[in-house]
Amino acid sequence: RESSGRPPAAAAAVVAVPWNKDPTVRLAIMNQVGATFITLTGAEITPIWMATSRVNGGLGFTAVDIGAFGSVMGVAILVFAATLFSFLADRFGPVKSVSWALFFLGVIYAFHPLAVVIDGSSRTGTWALVGSFAVARGCMGPVVMGGVSLLLNNSSPRAQLGAVNGFAGTFTNLSRAAAPLCAGALIAAMVHAKRTLAGDGGHDATIGEEVARDFSPTWWPFLSLSVVFLYLSRFAARLPKSLDTPQS
């Protein structure tokens, strides 16, 4: 049989699926954009919520208090960014590590409003809870952000890596821009609900007022974040295990 004359590498390149038609690349891009958006939304929403007055559903923290929270989280990120993710990725693989980190962040955000409940009886207890949130998020955040980037790189053949990263970076940057807008909108909705819906019960309540009285609007933004984190955790868990290793 007459040979085609092409070396094996060239022949493989001919039949290779273009990156923009590869379903694995699409899943990795969606994973990175979604995880970046929700992680940064959570990061943006926290200081706004802390600065919001207690009567409006926040903690009424001062700028110094918020700075202290950020310092604790920053130290945790510096300590664990390079160590925890590399350990988890080597031990369990990036796919499982990202999935678990998203799950834990979903649980952590769901419990944030407990700080408001505790604040009514113990300021020390509030700081202990808020500090634990800072450390936990400082541990899990780098796992998510580093993990989704690694999964994206592993999804693409080396020859197409630049195109994949460039395309994904466009939408990832859009998600970075949208995150503060979403965070502000969630807190604004919380404050609006606290002011207009959670009334004093002096009149016949509407459905919205009944819900606000029975289920404090303080929980609404954080449970919304939690639901998205848990959904993305499930999404990441279903990514192909081939993403644990880079393509040739």
Side-chain angles (χ1 to χ4, degrees):
R1 179 179 296 180
E2 184 177 352
S3 172
S4 63
R6 290 194 184 101
V14 172
V15 299
V17 178
W19 67 267
N20 58 328
K21 295 183 179 180
D22 189 335
T24 302
V25 173
R26 292 179 184 177
L27 290 174
I29 291 174
M30 293 168 61
N31 185 55
Q32 184 184 56
V33 173
T36 299
F37 171 74
I38 197 62
T39 302
L40 294 183
T41 299
E44 295 288 344
I45 205 173
T46 307
I48 305 174
W49 169 65
M50 288 179 169
T52 303
S53 64
R54 299 180 191 178
V55 69
N56 287 327
L59 290 174
F61 276 13
T62 65
V64 175
D65 295 333
I66 298 172
F69 173 86
S71 298
V72 173
M73 182 181 294
V75 170
I77 290 174
L78 287 175
V79 172
F80 292 106
T83 57
L84 183 61
F85 171 64
S86 60
F87 169 77
L88 292 176
D90 290 341
R91 183 75 178 271
F92 303 105
V95 171
K96 187 173 291 187
S97 299
V98 170
S99 176
W100 286 358
L102 288 167
F103 174 81
F104 284 124
L105 284 172
V107 173
I108 292 166
Y109 275 104
F111 284 102
H112 270 51
L114 284 179
V116 176
V117 178
I118 296 175
D119 193 52
S121 57
S122 172
R123 195 67 168 177
T124 302
T126 300
W127 268 107
L129 189 60
V130 167
S132 66
F133 290 155
V135 173
R137 286 171 51 182
C139 293
M140 293 296 103
V143 176
V144 172
M145 299 301 287
V148 294
S149 296
L150 181 58
L151 292 175
L152 179 67
N153 288 340
N154 288 350
S155 72
S156 171
R158 301 301 93 181
Q160 301 176 341
L161 187 58
V164 171
N165 276 315
F167 182 82
T170 300
F171 291 95
T172 300
N173 287 333
L174 288 175
S175 72
R176 291 177 182 273
L181 299 177
C182 182
L186 287 171
I187 295 297
M190 179 193 74
V191 172
H192 174 75
K194 290 286 288 186
R195 287 181 174 179
T196 62
L197 296 180
D200 56 9
H203 62 282
D204 292 336
T206 64
I207 295 177
E209 289 172 337
E210 289 285 357
V211 172
R213 291 172 190 171
D214 296 336
F215 182 43
S216 173
T218 303
W219 293 84
W220 298 0
F222 293 100
L223 290 182
S224 299
L225 287 176
S226 180
V227 168
V228 178
F229 269 113
L230 295 177
Y231 171 79
L232 289 174
S233 173
R234 177 62 177 165
F235 181 89
R238 299 174 67 179
L239 291 173
K241 299 304 180 184
S242 61
L243 294 180
D244 283 337
T245 55
Q247 294 193 35
S248 59

